[in-house]
Amino acid sequence: MTGRFSTALVAAAALLCLGAATAAEAQQTWSGDGNTLLAPVGTEEYQLPDGRTVRSLSFLGFTITEDKASPFHLTSQDCKGTYVFEADGMSFTAAGYCVVRDGEGNMWWLWWNGGSAGGEWGVTNGAGKYTGMTGGGTWTARDPMPDGKVTNSWHGEVSW
């Protein structure tokens, strides 16, 4: 019985190693650039005694990349953020998060922070085929449109 148990243990260990190797090989990495267009859908505003303004904003948008194989290409984004605008009404610091969804229902979550010129972003996790997603990058703000829409150009690398 001990011989059979040892053989079964070795076989189980081999299968586990094979499964781990397959999972490691299945990991994908993507690096590149894109643009995200976001439209504001909700705003709350508070005035601070020192002349600054705090805005809590909600945005809906979509992302386009030149690389059609990108996990970001043609995804939707649902983003929330808190902005602290200086008294000049133009410069700000901000932080928030987004839920990103592809056309198949897979999703991941990212955080972002920065200011009026741009900032950083990072992935916290994913679901579906993006479970365990990690990575991040930088973003640059484009001039806002008169109707409040914003476009951000970004660069980054993600793995899943």
Side-chain angles (χ1 to χ4, degrees), residues 78-96:
D78 182 355
C79 302
K80 311 278 190 258
T82 300
Y83 297 70
V84 179
F85 285 85
E86 296 302 320
D88 67 8
M90 297 302 293
S91 56
F92 64 84
T93 57

Side-chain angles (χ1 to χ4, degrees), residues 6 35 47 52 55 69 94 97 101 121 124 134 140-141 145:
S6 296
N35 293 292
Q47 293 297 317
R52 295 181 300 157
R55 287 189 191 130
Y97 66 92
R101 291 180 181 88
W121 62 272
T124 59
T134 61
T140 303
M145 298 176 194

Side-chain angles (χ1 to χ4, degrees), residues 2-39:
T2 305
R4 286 187 199 165
F5 180 73
S6 296
T7 303
L9 189 56
V10 169
L15 287 173
L16 283 174
C17 289
L18 179 62
T22 302
E25 290 173 19
Q27 183 171 1
Q28 299 180 48
T29 298
W30 181 86
S31 179
D33 306 294
N35 293 292
T36 301
L37 174 66
L38 298 160

Side-chain angles (χ1 to χ4, degrees), residues 92 94 113-120 138-142 152-153:
F92 64 84
N113 64 41
S116 49
E120 300 176 313
T138 58
W139 59 273
T140 303
R142 305 273 187 149
N152 294 326
S153 296

Side-chain angles (χ1 to χ4, degrees), residues 21-150:
T22 302
E25 290 173 19
Q27 183 171 1
Q28 299 180 48
T29 298
W30 181 86
S31 179
D33 306 294
N35 293 292
T36 301
L37 174 66
L38 298 160
V41 293
T43 303
E44 290 184 46
E45 188 169 293
Y46 312 93
Q47 293 297 317
L48 297 175
D50 62 4
R52 295 181 300 157
T53 303
V54 176
R55 287 189 191 130
S56 176
L57 297 169
S58 297
F59 290 94
L60 293 176
F62 65 94
T63 298
I64 300 173
T65 62
E66 299 238 356
D67 179 0
K68 306 300 184 248
S70 162
F72 288 92
H73 186 62
L74 299 179
T75 57
S76 66
Q77 292 195 7
D78 182 355
C79 302
K80 311 278 190 258
T82 300
Y83 297 70
V84 179
F85 285 85
E86 296 302 320
D88 67 8
M90 297 302 293
S91 56
F92 64 84
T93 57
Y97 66 92
C98 299
V99 177
V100 182
R101 291 180 181 88
D102 70 11
E104 299 169 347
N106 301 292
M107 64 180 69
W108 62 93
W109 303 271
L110 63 87
W111 58 264
W112 57 269
N113 64 41
S116 49
E120 300 176 313
W121 62 272
V123 176
T124 59
N125 203 344
K129 70 181 180 184
Y130 299 116
T131 298
M133 182 182 260
T134 61
T138 58
W139 59 273
T140 303
R142 305 273 187 149
D143 290 333
M145 298 176 194
D147 62 359
K149 293 182 183 92
V150 295

